[in-house]
Amino acid sequence: MSGSDVKLTQYTHGMGCACKLRPQDLEKVVQELTVLKNPDILVGPETADDAAVYRISDDIALVETVDFFTPVVDDPYWFGAIAAANALSDIYAMGGTPLFALNIVGFPVKRLSLDVLREILHGAEDKAAEAGISILGGHTIEDNEPKYGMVATGRVHPGRIWTNCSARPGDVLILTKPIGTGVYSTALKRGLLSTEQAGLACRIMATLNKSAADTLRAFTIEACTDVTGFGLLGHLLEMTRGSGVNAEISATAVPYLPDLFGLLAAGALPGGTKNNLAYVNEFIDWPVTFDEYRKLALCDAQTSGGLLAAVPEDQARQALDALRSSGIEDAAIIGRITSEGPGRICVLEESN
Ligand code: CO
Ligand code: CO
Ligand code: CO
């Protein structure tokens, strides 16, 4: 198969961030790792944040993250672009600016032509250029299925880090991309997506969170994360538990990809999405009228999802307007931090 007619999602079992390990399994293993005490570690593993942050000097800290996964779309060029946008997203979610990246590649040389790899790397290179950086190296192994991702390094001022554990009661929650890319990728693999829907999913996942982050920098960002494999509620839960607050979100205010519920009903249900719901369920208060599909949508394992930011109430409207005027049309206010607490999330049917 050459680069142009290959259908990459046929070469893999799980897809995108949906192939993450289950959070409940991962937690147990990661807890056993020890981190040496060092005052320059500004963000480490204990807060389940997006990236590690390490202070180099009083005004520079390094932000470092790694992400790689199996194909979420069929086209190699778009797969590379999406994986690159996804890896860089964690730098933006910390309030950082990317500096450079390295490739991580697993590739089935015996099953796929090297043209496919060439196109994956080309897509990633173009996306990195859009972020204003270069890919300076990498590492490749022979693998049974294609995998691609990046190690990304960025910088941030130590006093301006956006952690995911500093949200405060009263903050308003803003989401910058629509939900549903996990369901779309699964639907694509099963041949359930129209060409138009597949194109939309590609564009959304390949959109850098750069412009969202650049826009939000003009406002007070109390906490920020990006929505990826653990789904909207999974990542919001990391924020609420980490911050010691409770939140409420309005299910109808959340932007969804078109026909998401139809695709779920047609059986396009990623395994990661189901795991996410099982994991968050005990922390969520659902509306009694809510069916399973609406719960699953809010837990859908995203690939290269949007930023989820907690902004002081008196700046939220302005921040949303600014995002929309910079072309982020799907940006929405989806809820708020209600009180201090153990991290519970109340899902409301309507906006309050
Ligand atoms: Co992240
Ligand atoms: Co990540
Ligand atoms: Co963050």
Side-chain angles (χ1 to χ4, degrees):
M1 286 249 175
S2 81
S4 49
D5 48 14
V6 72
K7 282 196 172 2
L8 275 189
T9 60
Q10 303 308 315
Y11 287 81
T12 158
H13 70 288
M15 281 186 298
C17 288
C19 60
K20 271 188 181 181
L21 293 185
R22 299 192 322 150
Q24 52 272 54
D25 296 338
L26 186 62
E27 239 171 38
K28 280 181 213 133
V29 179
V30 174
Q31 267 165 11
E32 292 164 16
L33 302 173
T34 38
V35 176
L36 299 179
K37 288 223 175 316
N38 178 339
D40 291 322
I41 300 170
L42 303 183
V43 177
E46 55 288 311
T47 55
D49 217 319
D50 299 294
V53 183
Y54 189 93
R55 182 170 47 212
I56 299 295
S57 70
D58 285 346
D59 44 31
I60 299 178
L62 279 186
V63 186
E64 186 110 348
T65 178
V66 53
D67 245 307
F68 66 102
F69 48 64
T70 53
V72 278
V73 293
D74 285 326
D75 184 274
Y77 179 90
W78 278 99
F79 171 48
I82 289 166
N86 179 74
L88 290 168
S89 176
D90 282 325
I91 303 275
Y92 296 122
M94 299 308 286
T97 307
L99 294 171
F100 65 92
L102 304 173
N103 286 322
I104 300 172
V105 179
F107 196 75
V109 240
K110 295 193 184 88
R111 297 167 72 201
L112 285 171
S113 133
L114 279 175
D115 284 342
V116 172
L117 178 57
R118 197 167 282 127
E119 285 189 36
I120 293 172
L121 297 181
H122 187 199
E125 185 185 37
D126 284 354
K127 195 46 72 177
E130 192 186 321
I133 63 161
S134 296
I135 300 170
L136 301 183
H139 188 81
T140 310
I141 59 163
E142 190 177 341
D143 201 340
N144 289 327
E145 27 177 50
K147 297 186 181 84
Y148 176 72
M150 288 188 336
V151 175
T153 301
R155 63 180 282 178
V156 68
H157 189 285
R160 279 178 235 129
I161 302 166
W162 296 347
T163 72
N164 67 355
C165 55
S166 44
R168 295 197 296 193
D171 289 349
V172 167
L173 296 166
I174 297 180
L175 177 68
T176 67
K177 282 190 192 182
I179 294 295
T181 56
V183 170
Y184 264 53
S185 291
T186 300
L188 176 77
K189 186 170 173 154
R190 307 247 175 97
L192 298 171
L193 282 197
S194 67
T195 317
E196 205 172 76
Q197 284 173 318
L200 174 67
C202 276
R203 283 197 305 281
I204 293 206
M205 290 188 279
T207 299
L208 285 174
N209 280 327
K210 176 182 194 304
S211 135
D214 287 347
T215 306
L216 289 171
R217 253 186 272 277
F219 300 90
T220 307
I221 302 304
E222 305 268 31
C224 186
T225 190
D226 59 342
V227 178
T228 53
F230 299 145
L232 174 61
L233 289 181
H235 290 283
L236 177 57
L237 188 62
E238 286 177 338
M239 187 184 283
T240 57
R241 289 171 82 190
S243 305
V245 297
N246 298 328
E248 66 181 25
I249 68 161
S250 152
T252 47
V254 173
Y256 299 104
L257 286 175
D259 198 32
L260 184 64
F261 299 101
L263 292 169
L264 269 167
L269 174 57
T273 300
K274 232 162 63 185
N275 291 342
N276 288 342
L277 176 56
Y279 178 66
V280 301
N281 206 25
E282 62 176 300
F283 302 97
I284 313 291
D285 299 309
W286 301 103
V288 279
T289 55
F290 238 46
D291 64 28
E292 199 70 2
Y293 294 142
R294 300 189 71 191
K295 293 182 183 177
L296 286 164
L298 292 174
C299 297
D300 186 34
Q302 303 298 281
T303 296
S304 192
L307 296 182
L308 174 66
V311 181
E313 194 175 9
D314 58 352
Q315 296 181 38
R317 193 68 235 180
Q318 238 190 313
L320 181 67
D321 291 345
L323 286 166
R324 294 217 172 129
S325 357
S326 55
I328 304 164
E329 283 148 26
D330 292 305
I333 288 175
I334 61 159
R336 62 196 186 94
I337 305 295
T338 48
S339 60
E340 287 178 3
R344 292 202 68 81
I345 299 169
C346 178
V347 175
L348 304 170
E349 185 93 55
E350 304 290 339
S351 42
N352 245 9

